[in-house]
Amino acid sequence: IGKPYADIIFSDKKIRTFDMTSNQDEYEWHRDKTDRNIKVLAGDNWLLQFDNKMPMPLEINDEVFIPRGVFHRVYKGTTPLKIEIRE
């Protein structure tokens, strides 16, 4: 099983697009090995949830810091989600 997203990698960032054909159960709880700053570039009705927190909406132009080692997941929206990731 592949990942429910595709990356385009640049020298200083990644552009990640989440696949609308993936099932919600493919968006698993996980933690990253590095701190990440993400910026939402596109996507409607997606949510981001940190461990022991309520899900929060991801709106276009939102910037979110995700600390290394903190469990989190996304909930699928109604249009493809595209984010910029800087580590």
Side-chain angles (χ1 to χ4, degrees), residues 1 5-6 8 12-13 18-20 22-24 27 29-30 33 42 44-45 48-49 53 55 58-59 62 74 78 82:
I1 293 178
Y5 59 82
I8 299 173
D12 62 337
K13 66 184 174 185
F18 289 85
D19 184 358
M20 290 302 299
S22 297
N23 294 321
Q24 176 58 48
Y27 299 103
W29 285 104
H30 68 283
K33 294 179 181 179
D44 292 322
N45 303 309
L48 173 65
Q49 184 177 16
K53 305 284 185 192
L58 290 174
E59 303 290 339
D62 280 355
V74 292
T78 54
K82 185 181 285 191

Side-chain angles (χ1 to χ4, degrees), residues 17-66:
T17 304
F18 289 85
D19 184 358
M20 290 302 299
T21 62
S22 297
N23 294 321
Q24 176 58 48
D25 60 355
E26 293 180 66
Y27 299 103
E28 300 173 337
W29 285 104
H30 68 283
R31 54 186 170 183
D32 300 319
K33 294 179 181 179
T34 60
D35 290 341
R36 290 187 169 177
N37 289 294
I38 67 163
K39 181 176 181 181
V40 180
L41 304 176
D44 292 322
N45 303 309
W46 286 79
L47 301 172
L48 173 65
Q49 184 177 16
F50 289 102
D51 194 23
N52 296 316
K53 305 284 185 192
M54 294 296 295
M56 61 183 202
L58 290 174
E59 303 290 339
I60 294 172
N61 293 321
D62 280 355
E63 295 187 25
V64 181
F65 175 68
I66 302 174

